[in-house]
Amino acid sequence: MADVFAQIYGQTRVRDFLRASVASGRVTHAYLFTGPAGSNKTQAAYALAAALLCDQGGCGACPTCERVRARRHPDVRYFAPEGAGGYLVDQIREIVADTALAPIQSDRKVYIIDRVDLLGTSAANAFLKTLEEPPDDVVIILMGRTRESVLPTIVSRCSVVPFRHIPATEAAAILAQRTGASPELAKIAIEACAGSITRGIEFLKSNERLAFRRDVIEMLARLDTADTWDVIGMASQLVLAAKAPLDSVREANEAKLAQDADFLAKSAIRQIEARNKRELTARSKESFSQIAAITASFLRDVLAVCAETPDLVINYDVQDTIEAVAARTCEPNVARALKAVQAFNEAIAFNVSPETCLDAMLFEIGEALYGTHSPC
Ligand SMILES: [Zn+2]
């Protein structure tokens, strides 16, 4: 059985460094993982967390490793910015207060704090003391896009672990090798998951996700004949489909909590409830990001056909649809449609309600591709 570090795909140096740090007991109290989206930072953070909590240094097979891998270990906490512009001072104060509480199941706790490039000066100041000297049983893993985008006062208190950008072709090759999918299908999955190998694996395993992709593409193809009400209907249908997988997560979480409730202290129950809620928010964001990724991939294919380079098309299974859309529009219009996708992505990152921006994105794409204001 491979250890937990084997899952840090495409980042050999990070994998070897973390494995050696744990094996030799040279783990520090605060890490900063830097790298672009899709570079596998989250997977690596959970692998390190499992290794720190597992009695055998991250065997990959015991219940502790399994619970961390499934993101259900109560002593591994994940945080993402809750404010519209990033982390709120109150949110950081809550995290700081939480670090002082005892672990629930292990003898250590791991805090994974995402997007610390969205940690402003006031919120950072509330965090510095904890980051410098966390309680003995706490390890903090921060994640950010680049070292330069994180405040120097944060960087200087962490051991920085740089992740490299994994080119899409390489990511697809790793994905094909891991899952046995064809290289063509692996490319589709990598694009639909914005470059993430870890999410690509989940995507290929899930019939629900594959069907979701087909729904998104089918709606995009229908935009040329859709009126306002059609577009509103499409958006709400996509919202439902995006949120459908969350129901099973919510039910599983509630069932698990009901089962454990008798054995847990009230404070532990509150912590688990808060964690479950954060998990749902994070997953919902992921679903909406996936709509953006699938849409962008489809539009790039339309652009490739418009530019007479159809061999660059990734979504080969819907080639006919792509060609039909390309025949009705032109390169500058597709470029404008892609800008609408980018705006949608940014809005979700800043916690604007995805439901409202989805309408807007679909309208703008339809208008850009086929609108009367933008003749080719
Ligand atoms: Zn283990």
Side-chain angles (χ1 to χ4, degrees):
M1 179 79 192
D3 69 7
V4 287
F5 297 108
Q7 312 228 320
I8 309 177
Y9 308 120
Q11 301 287 355
T12 317
R13 295 174 76 177
V14 171
R15 190 190 65 202
D16 295 350
F17 168 75
L18 293 178
R19 189 183 269 146
S21 304
V22 171
S24 61
R26 286 194 317 261
V27 175
T28 57
H29 59 270
Y31 289 89
L32 170 61
F33 289 2
T34 60
S39 58
N40 246 334
K41 299 189 297 291
T42 311
Q43 187 73 10
Y46 278 95
L48 178 58
L52 292 171
L53 265 44
C54 165
D55 295 334
Q56 299 148 74
C59 66
C62 70
T64 300
C65 285
E66 177 51 34
R67 229 168 280 146
V68 177
R69 192 200 59 75
R71 307 192 178 176
R72 297 202 176 285
H73 199 295
D75 295 321
V76 180
R77 314 277 167 76
Y78 171 90
F79 296 89
E82 278 170 10
Y87 280 96
L88 306 168
V89 178
D90 279 348
Q91 192 186 358
I92 295 298
R93 289 207 181 108
E94 259 172 53
I95 298 174
V96 167
D98 195 90
T99 59
L101 302 172
I104 296 172
Q105 272 176 3
S106 298
D107 47 10
R108 268 174 150 165
K109 285 191 296 180
V110 180
Y111 288 78
I112 300 172
I113 303 181
D114 207 350
R115 296 304 306 266
V116 288
D117 39 324
L118 299 177
L119 191 60
T121 312
S122 325
N125 284 341
F127 197 41
L128 292 184
K129 200 167 158 286
T130 305
L131 197 57
E132 194 157 87
E133 252 182 294
D136 287 341
D137 55 6
V138 166
V139 171
I140 300 169
I141 305 170
L142 307 177
M143 302 195 287
R145 294 286 160 90
T146 63
R147 185 192 179 113
E148 293 70 33
S149 62
V150 180
L151 288 171
T153 47
I154 297 285
V155 177
S156 65
R157 286 166 171 82
C158 298
S159 167
V160 180
V161 183
F163 286 60
R164 71 187 185 102
H165 164 71
I166 306 172
T169 42
E170 190 188 332
I174 297 171
L175 184 59
Q177 193 204 346
R178 292 282 148 191
T179 59
S182 71
E184 291 77 18
L185 187 58
K187 272 188 205 158
I188 289 179
I190 284 295
E191 290 236 333
C193 301
S196 163
I197 300 169
T198 311
R199 270 186 239 144
I201 292 173
E202 275 174 32
F203 179 81
L204 286 176
K205 272 197 275 189
S206 161
N207 287 331
E208 222 169 30
R209 293 280 103 186
L210 291 165
F212 181 60
R213 167 182 169 266
R214 282 193 295 274
D215 289 348
V216 173
I217 290 178
E218 200 216 314
M219 282 183 199
L220 293 170
R222 278 198 283 125
L223 279 177
D224 62 334
T225 53
D227 65 18
T228 306
W229 285 110
D230 293 335
V231 173
I232 292 171
M234 282 181 194
S236 58
Q237 209 180 319
L238 277 185
V239 168
L240 281 181
K243 293 204 158 176
L246 303 184
D247 292 337
S248 58
V249 174
R250 187 185 297 113
E251 278 162 26
N253 282 345
E254 280 167 6
K256 179 83 183 58
L257 189 59
Q259 197 184 359
D260 295 346
D262 294 342
F263 309 102
L264 293 170
K266 274 207 176 111
S267 64
I269 292 177
R270 270 199 304 275
Q271 283 178 44
I272 292 172
E273 279 171 345
R275 185 200 65 202
N276 288 348
K277 198 175 149 219
R278 279 196 301 274
E279 185 192 351
L280 283 176
T281 311
R283 292 220 182 194
S284 158
K285 252 189 193 181
E286 254 175 42
S287 269
F288 285 103
S289 301
Q290 190 152 63
I291 295 177
I294 293 166
T295 305
S297 176
F298 179 81
L299 290 172
R300 279 195 299 269
D301 283 351
V302 173
L303 197 58
V305 173
C306 287
E308 293 176 359
T309 50
D311 48 318
L312 295 179
V313 165
I314 299 279
N315 298 283
Y316 68 93
D317 57 332
V318 287
Q319 182 101 24
D320 291 351
T321 313
I322 291 163
E323 278 171 13
V325 173
R328 299 210 43 215
T329 188
C330 60
E331 283 177 66
N333 286 355
V334 185
R336 280 225 302 283
L338 275 164
K339 280 205 183 111
V341 183
Q342 204 185 339
F344 175 68
N345 244 335
E346 280 163 14
I348 314 175
F350 286 100
N351 293 327
V352 181
S353 149
E355 289 86 339
T356 47
C357 337
L358 190 56
D359 279 7
M361 179 183 79
L362 291 175
F363 275 123
E364 278 168 41
I365 291 174
E367 192 56 35
L369 290 179
Y370 316 108
T372 45
H373 307 299
S374 45
C376 294

